[in-house]
Amino acid sequence: MKIPQDKISQIHDAIPIEELIGSYIPLKRVGKNFKSLCPFHSERTPSFFISPEKGLYHCFGCGKSGNIFTFMMEYNNLTFPQAIRFLGEKAGIHVESVEDVNENLYKANEFAARLYHSSLFSDNGLPGRKWLEYRGIQRDIVDKFMIGYAPSDSIVYLNSSSKGINLADLETLGLLVKLEGGGYRDTFSMKVIFPIRDRWGKVLGFGTRVLDNSEPKYINSRDSPVFKKGNLLYGLYESQPYIKEEVILVEGYTDLLTLYQSGIKNVVASLGTSLTAYQARLLKLHASSVILIYDGDIEGLKAAERAIDILLETSLNVKILPLSEGEDPDSFVRKYGKLDLSGAQSFVEFKFKECKDVYEKGVLVRSFQQTLSKISDAQKRELWADYISQKLGVNRNFLLVVPTSSPYVKPAVSKMELEGLEIELLALASSYPIVKELLLKNQFEFSTPELSSLFDLVLKGMKPSEILNSVSECLRTSFTKVIFLEGVDSKKMAFDYINRITRWKADLRKIELREIGDKEGWTPEHLAEYQKLTTKLKGG
């Protein structure tokens, strides 16, 4: 059961955004808006603006943006339903206690996490305690991160009925396996358990570690309605109070725990997997700079190189603290006591190496071309190109050439950038009726179901500040910054967005068709489509 939209709208309209935010931080009027030092990052010059007319705030420094609900969520670390109930009480509007659609799954995960944690300190938990003691993880850290142990007997299955936990929910979460002859057994057995929480503390899933020499050593929960491995960062809930402008990114659970215990608390982990674009965007919501500390082996170095490009594409500043071969953050701290973050290098220093011949230099140049192409800020890209040019002794303009790994020209923007363009176009449509009519007239199609659903809200006449409630966290900044634009030629801007998006989609489809043609052979339909797209791009 969801909170009715009309109830959310009542609360939204009853509380002026400037009064709400002004009750937490001092505001200064600037024309029809207000400004202040941003409450979400350190700054000396105010870049945090509030628009009473639009019901929105936006920081032009760190990018934080939203409405009264998102402010309460960010400032007081509340979930969306909690923010609605809190503001409802403030406005004198009764909001019934409404459960999240996945509330039963959250309860089941919380039940399992607490059960595993208590099991760690039972007689059956001795193997887990010995392993944690061997790794040097202290009791206060074990409790703070709710680390647990799954014994050989099926404690989740055996204790679920007495706690009113639905077996089907546990199966959905991957905590139980259904047996052919009937009944269930626990999925995790004789493993150390690491609960993975969202930024508000809800347990979404688990990471596990075997205690013998079997492979793989680490196994995560399977994907479920509440757990998507590539969308989460381990330790974010515990570390976010210490993340100001810089965050440390490591790969594994014990890497994070050891650093946190050593006093480096602004640290998160990518759940032992390759960094995803979504995780990078999640980092961007909390920091402007990232220091990568990955394993010192070949795989760790390769993972760091991949992560650099993903982080730069998200407009994050990136440094890398390289470790000696065979070391990881956990082993390094246990051996030497602490990490010296002052040794972190720029991505250029990290990637640079002395080249023995022209071939090696060509490989390095191509690598820098690829990385520079990910930097969206033109000034930063030019400055880095100058710096790399001096180090390598190659023409800076050549470094700015976008490399290709195939004979096909790559699209001008990534899929992530496309979403950013489309959400900005959608924001224009929510503020200017002429843009909405233009999109309808051109039968414009958004590229994701989320964006299409948001456009439906625009067509229904919903205010931009209310539409924001349905915008995913990672797209809020792009949406809100357009809403704050004033004195623009909205029709001209809309045509520019439509043309750029249309050309990119056509370019991408051409690449897809060429790859299909090379692998499977050209069909008359594919060839006709390809020629039509070529003509369209030439005409555009």
Side-chain angles (χ1 to χ4, degrees):
M1 179 180 175
K2 292 184 178 180
I3 299 173
Q5 180 57 48
D6 61 343
K7 187 76 72 173
I8 297 174
S9 297
Q10 284 179 39
I11 297 169
H12 174 273
D13 293 341
I15 301 179
I17 190 168
E18 70 277 16
E19 290 183 13
L20 174 70
I21 298 179
S23 67
Y24 289 93
I25 58 175
L27 304 181
K28 182 178 180 180
R29 181 176 283 279
V30 183
K32 59 183 179 180
N33 295 331
F34 292 85
K35 71 176 181 179
S36 174
L37 292 173
C38 180
F40 303 116
H41 83 287
S42 300
E43 61 177 2
R44 295 181 180 179
T45 304
S47 57
F48 185 80
F49 285 80
I50 300 101
S51 170
E53 178 186 355
K54 296 166 182 174
L56 295 167
Y57 64 86
H58 182 77
C59 177
F60 290 89
C62 69
K64 291 281 188 182
S65 57
N67 55 21
I68 59 172
F69 302 111
T70 57
F71 182 83
M72 293 305 298
M73 291 164 67
E74 294 282 353
Y75 196 85
N76 291 318
N77 202 27
L78 303 177
T79 63
F80 185 52
Q82 287 171 339
I84 292 173
R85 284 195 287 272
F86 179 89
L87 293 175
E89 289 179 13
K90 188 177 181 69
I93 298 172
H94 176 66
V95 179
E96 295 180 5
S97 181
V98 180
E99 285 193 349
D100 187 299
V101 66
N102 293 315
E103 193 63 35
N104 286 341
L105 298 180
Y106 296 132
K107 287 179 179 177
N109 269 334
E110 185 71 22
F111 151 76
R114 293 188 180 279
L115 187 61
Y116 289 137
H117 186 58
S118 62
S119 172
L120 178 66
F121 300 102
S122 69
D123 292 341
N124 289 333
L126 182 60
R129 294 199 301 276
K130 281 188 172 181
W131 184 84
L132 289 166
E133 182 180 346
Y134 168 73
R135 301 305 289 258
I137 307 299
Q138 298 168 3
R139 175 64 190 264
D140 61 327
I141 299 297
V142 170
D143 288 341
K144 186 173 187 66
F145 286 82
M146 212 193 302
I147 300 169
Y149 178 70
S152 57
D153 53 338
S154 295
I155 59 171
V156 172
Y157 175 55
L158 295 174
N159 288 275
S160 57
S161 59
S162 64
K163 299 297 183 181
I165 303 298
N166 191 297
L167 294 177
D169 290 335
L170 293 169
E171 187 180 5
T172 296
L173 294 166
L175 290 168
L176 293 184
V177 177
K178 201 166 190 176
L179 302 174
E180 290 185 8
Y184 293 86
R185 65 167 175 82
D186 284 12
T187 302
F188 302 133
S189 174
M190 301 183 71
K191 291 179 174 65
V192 174
I193 304 292
F194 305 94
I196 300 165
R197 300 192 253 203
D198 66 13
R199 58 191 299 205
W200 295 287
K202 287 186 175 180
V203 179
L204 305 184
F206 301 90
T208 72
R209 210 282 188 188
V210 300
L211 300 184
D212 55 23
N213 294 321
S214 61
E215 296 288 345
K217 290 182 180 179
Y218 289 92
I219 301 172
N220 292 313
S221 293
R222 74 181 187 201
D223 280 2
S224 74
V226 298
F227 183 79
K228 298 288 186 295
K229 184 172 62 175
N231 293 0
L232 299 168
L233 293 166
Y234 179 64
L236 181 58
Y237 172 68
E238 294 82 4
S239 298
Q240 61 184 340
Y242 306 98
I243 299 172
K244 303 305 177 186
E245 295 186 9
E246 187 171 75
V247 62
I248 313 300
L249 178 63
V250 296
E251 293 181 279
Y253 304 106
T254 52
D255 292 330
L256 179 141
L257 296 168
T258 302
L259 288 189
Y260 195 97
Q261 185 172 276
S262 74
I264 299 176
K265 296 186 175 182
N266 58 328
V267 58
V268 295
S270 56
L271 294 119
T273 62
S274 294
L275 186 73
T276 67
Y278 194 100
Q279 287 172 325
R281 285 192 277 183
L282 192 54
L283 286 170
K284 180 64 176 174
L285 293 173
H286 295 270
S288 57
S289 297
V290 178
I291 297 180
L292 287 171
I293 312 178
Y294 280 10
D295 293 357
D297 58 14
I298 296 297
E299 289 305 313
L301 294 174
K302 288 180 179 178
E305 290 233 9
R306 291 192 297 268
I308 287 168
D309 287 1
I310 294 170
L311 293 167
L312 288 173
E313 196 168 12
T314 318
S315 299
L316 282 157
N317 297 320
V318 186
K319 290 184 178 181
I320 304 91
L321 184 64
L323 299 178
S324 302
E325 187 174 355
E327 295 283 10
D328 57 40
D330 171 46
S331 66
F332 188 95
V333 171
R334 285 193 287 123
K335 184 182 295 185
Y336 300 106
K338 63 178 181 179
L339 272 171
D340 183 5
L341 299 179
S342 65
Q345 305 173 341
S346 72
F347 72 87
V348 176
E349 267 62 44
F350 176 75
K351 291 168 72 78
F352 184 81
K353 62 180 180 180
E354 295 296 334
C355 301
K356 293 182 293 187
D357 51 36
V358 172
Y359 173 77
E360 282 192 1
K361 194 168 187 176
V363 172
L364 187 57
V365 166
R366 188 177 181 83
S367 175
F368 276 123
Q369 286 176 325
Q370 183 67 41
T371 297
L372 286 173
S373 72
K374 301 297 181 182
I375 302 175
S376 57
D377 186 307
Q379 184 182 49
K380 285 184 181 179
R381 188 168 58 248
E382 295 281 338
L383 291 172
W384 279 120
D386 286 340
Y387 182 64
I388 297 167
S389 171
Q390 292 174 16
K391 286 187 72 71
L392 278 179
V394 298
N395 187 294
R396 64 177 302 283
N397 293 326
F398 185 63
L399 288 167
L400 294 170
V401 174
V402 180
T404 58
S405 56
S406 71
Y408 320 129
V409 177
K410 292 293 182 184
V413 293
S414 67
K415 289 184 178 180
M416 187 167 65
E417 289 172 308
L418 173 66
E419 283 189 52
L421 289 175
E422 291 193 354
I423 194 69
E424 289 174 22
L425 176 59
L426 195 144
L428 271 182
S430 72
S431 298
Y432 300 96
I434 190 172
V435 176
K436 178 172 65 176
E437 298 303 321
L438 189 63
L439 293 179
L440 287 172
K441 183 178 179 181
N442 284 268
Q443 297 181 319
F444 184 86
E445 292 185 8
F446 289 93
S447 58
T448 69
E450 178 192 355
L451 292 169
S452 297
S453 298
L454 291 173
F455 188 53
D456 288 339
L457 299 181
V458 172
L459 295 179
K460 291 176 182 176
M462 191 174 286
K463 299 174 185 175
S465 54
E466 292 187 87
I467 291 173
L468 195 73
N469 294 328
S470 301
V471 177
S472 65
E473 200 172 17
C474 295
L475 292 176
R476 282 180 194 155
T477 298
S478 296
F479 181 86
T480 310
K481 74 178 182 183
V482 172
I483 301 296
F484 268 79
L485 294 175
E486 295 183 352
V488 300
D489 186 337
S490 58
K491 188 174 182 179
K492 184 176 181 301
M493 278 187 70
F495 272 121
D496 180 51
Y497 275 116
I498 291 171
N499 287 336
R500 287 163 65 194
I501 292 167
T502 302
R503 287 182 64 84
W504 183 81
K505 286 180 177 177
D507 192 26
L508 178 61
R509 180 57 180 161
K510 280 186 66 177
I511 293 170
E512 290 176 348
L513 289 170
R514 286 288 296 269
E515 290 174 345
I516 291 171
D518 283 356
K519 289 178 182 178
E520 304 173 12
W522 285 93
T523 65
E525 293 79 12
H526 282 163
L527 186 59
E529 183 183 355
Y530 184 86
Q531 291 170 340
K532 183 177 179 181
L533 289 170
T534 301
T535 302
K536 184 177 182 179
L537 285 170
K538 286 181 179 178

